[in-house]
Amino acid sequence: MLLVILIAVAAVVLIGAGVFLARRGGSVKERPGVGGEPPRAVATKTKPEIPTPSVEELEELLQVPAPPGVDVVEPEVLEPEVLEPEVVEPEIFEKPRLRDRLGRTASAFSGAFGRMRGRKVDDDTWDELEEALLLADVGMATTSALMDAVRMRAKEQSVTEPDDVIALMRHEVSTLLDVNDVDRSLHATPGEPNVWMFVGVNGVGKTTTIGKLASQRVADGNRVVLAAADTFRAAAADQLEMWAERTGGEIVRSHQEGADPGSIVFDAMAAASSRSADLVLVDTAGRLHTKSNLMEELKKLRRIVDRTPGACKEVLLVIDASTGQNGLVQAKQFADAVDVTGIVLTKLDGTAKGGIVLAIQNELGIPVKVVGVGEGVGDLIEFEPAEFAAALFGDS
């Protein structure tokens, strides 16, 4: 019994000793902080502090002479590169002669003249001449007026040779076109607001005409603003924007189809004023739901331009020459709605219906100011009545 008690006491002593040693070892590893006792400092490794030299010390170091035998290489001083501004040479447009581009219309006349020659003047002579005028789409009213004038003069002069009849017709055509009080120039006054409005149905080359005229004016040193007021055709505004990028002009447009054209014109004129632009070219719609809507829209745009007195220098009606007498009908409709100051006749080189020039002059009294005789920018040229008459009658 006593032995058991001794063994139990020894076990208790051993266990107690083990617990004491374990606690002592833990306290050495980490001693819990005691409230109010300042935290123990933790030893950390510190980097040696490197003193930063002052500006004066750096200057002294730079002034120290190099050791003997050591070559000092002076740093190469590079001069700043001066870039000369790129000078953009204005594009030079070689304008063709009108008589060189009226082959198809001239052929209609030359064929008739060839059939007239070789015989005396008779009824067939007059029929051939009248047919040539009608085939060239001179129109019945203008053809009748020309034929009556030539017949009367031929009778007065007792003309018997076809060449003399042809000479008389040439004179009458030249007289019809070369009216003294007809102003065929495009007006733009330096130092003033200048606006040219372009009207006409879709498909006649209105937007292309604006782009070509913009190119020519920019090449002449003018600053041009293009107004894409045909907001009913997104393609028209996109095409005009391409012309602006190509020519170096500026454009005012809306990316919302069907936007108010009046606001485009107003903004374009404001932009031209703020940027000291010389000319504003306004593209307009060529087709709305009805003819009356289109004409009312054009009148509205004209009123907006006229808020600046004297700004509207030109209202140019663009007509496709290949439409012939249909173009004359269009001219009458637009002339009734807006004060058209001149005609731009496009695609004159590719049609035999160039006689529409005579019909427009005779029946409407609106001068043809510009004609298109090719695809190039320089192929949009001022209309010269003398050259046109010479081309019709095969003069060199």
Side-chain angles (χ1 to χ4, degrees), residues 144-223:
S144 298
L146 290 171
M147 291 296 295
D148 290 343
V150 173
R151 284 177 184 271
M152 183 177 65
R153 294 192 61 189
K155 185 177 181 180
E156 291 174 352
Q157 299 177 16
S158 301
V159 170
T160 59
E161 295 297 327
D163 284 335
D164 295 332
V165 173
I166 294 171
L168 290 175
M169 178 58 73
R170 189 196 188 289
H171 175 77
E172 291 299 325
V173 168
S174 299
T175 301
L176 175 62
L177 293 174
D178 191 18
V179 182
N180 293 330
D181 59 350
V182 171
D183 184 4
R184 299 186 187 276
S185 60
L186 296 173
H187 296 277
T189 305
E192 293 184 5
N194 297 291
V195 179
W196 295 353
M197 291 180 60
F198 293 80
V199 299
V201 300
N202 290 342
V204 295
K206 191 164 66 260
T207 305
T208 302
T209 296
I210 294 173
K212 290 181 178 181
L213 283 175
S215 297
Q216 295 177 4
R217 292 289 163 166
V218 170
D220 290 338
N222 296 298
R223 190 168 186 177

Side-chain angles (χ1 to χ4, degrees), residues 6-347:
L6 291 174
I7 294 174
V9 172
V12 171
V13 172
L14 291 174
I15 292 173
V19 171
F20 175 77
L21 292 175
R23 288 184 177 179
R24 184 175 180 83
S27 64
V28 173
K29 293 180 181 177
E30 181 181 357
R31 179 182 177 184
V34 180
E37 182 181 352
R40 300 176 63 187
V42 180
T44 57
K45 294 182 179 180
T46 58
K47 295 182 179 180
E49 188 173 336
I50 301 175
T52 303
S54 64
V55 176
E56 291 77 7
E57 292 174 339
L58 290 175
E59 290 179 348
E60 291 179 1
L61 290 174
L62 292 175
Q63 293 175 0
V64 173
V70 177
D71 295 331
V72 179
V73 180
E74 294 293 335
E76 181 181 0
V77 179
L78 298 178
E79 294 293 334
E81 184 180 2
V82 179
L83 298 177
E84 294 293 335
E86 182 180 357
V87 178
V88 179
E89 295 293 336
E91 189 173 356
I92 300 175
F93 305 111
E94 184 178 353
K95 295 187 177 182
R97 294 195 313 169
L98 183 58
R99 68 185 68 184
D100 295 334
R101 299 295 180 91
L102 295 180
R104 297 190 64 179
T105 300
S107 295
F109 280 86
S110 62
F113 298 157
R115 291 187 294 271
M116 289 168 57
R117 293 186 173 99
R119 61 173 185 261
K120 295 296 182 181
V121 175
D122 54 15
D123 292 340
D124 290 339
T125 302
W126 298 110
D127 290 342
E128 289 284 359
L129 188 57
E130 184 177 27
E131 184 179 358
L133 294 173
L134 292 175
L135 287 176
D137 237 350
V138 174
M140 183 56 71
T142 304
T143 296
S144 298
L146 290 171
M147 291 296 295
D148 290 343
V150 173
R151 284 177 184 271
M152 183 177 65
R153 294 192 61 189
K155 185 177 181 180
E156 291 174 352
Q157 299 177 16
S158 301
V159 170
T160 59
E161 295 297 327
D163 284 335
D164 295 332
V165 173
I166 294 171
L168 290 175
M169 178 58 73
R170 189 196 188 289
H171 175 77
E172 291 299 325
V173 168
S174 299
T175 301
L176 175 62
L177 293 174
D178 191 18
V179 182
N180 293 330
D181 59 350
V182 171
D183 184 4
R184 299 186 187 276
S185 60
L186 296 173
H187 296 277
T189 305
E192 293 184 5
N194 297 291
V195 179
W196 295 353
M197 291 180 60
F198 293 80
V199 299
V201 300
N202 290 342
V204 295
K206 191 164 66 260
T207 305
T208 302
T209 296
I210 294 173
K212 290 181 178 181
L213 283 175
S215 297
Q216 295 177 4
R217 292 289 163 166
V218 170
D220 290 338
N222 296 298
R223 190 168 186 177
V224 179
V225 174
L226 307 180
D230 183 2
T231 60
F232 299 93
R233 286 194 313 127
D238 293 341
Q239 184 181 358
L240 208 62
E241 187 169 10
M242 291 175 59
W243 275 108
E245 294 173 356
R246 174 180 173 183
T247 63
E250 303 173 51
I251 186 168
V252 176
R253 62 164 297 181
S254 172
H255 291 279
Q256 179 182 358
E257 189 171 349
D260 180 23
S263 65
I264 302 295
V265 174
F266 181 84
D267 291 344
M269 294 185 65
S273 177
S274 64
R275 301 167 190 172
S276 300
D278 302 292
L279 183 62
V280 179
L281 305 181
V282 180
D283 191 11
T284 63
R287 181 181 66 84
L288 294 181
H289 297 298
T290 65
K291 183 183 73 174
S292 60
N293 286 345
L294 172 60
M295 299 307 169
E296 288 302 318
E297 184 66 41
L298 296 178
K299 292 178 182 177
K300 172 187 170 184
L301 297 182
R302 177 62 191 265
R303 288 194 297 269
I304 293 174
V305 175
D306 286 340
R307 290 177 185 174
T308 304
C312 189
K313 298 297 195 301
E314 298 285 353
V315 179
L316 300 172
L317 172 60
V318 183
I319 298 176
D320 181 349
S322 63
T323 61
Q325 289 298 303
N326 289 333
L328 182 62
V329 174
Q330 295 170 19
K332 291 178 179 178
Q333 293 173 346
F334 281 94
D336 292 339
V338 290
D339 186 15
V340 176
T341 60
I343 303 291
V344 178
L345 203 59
T346 63
K347 309 174 188 178

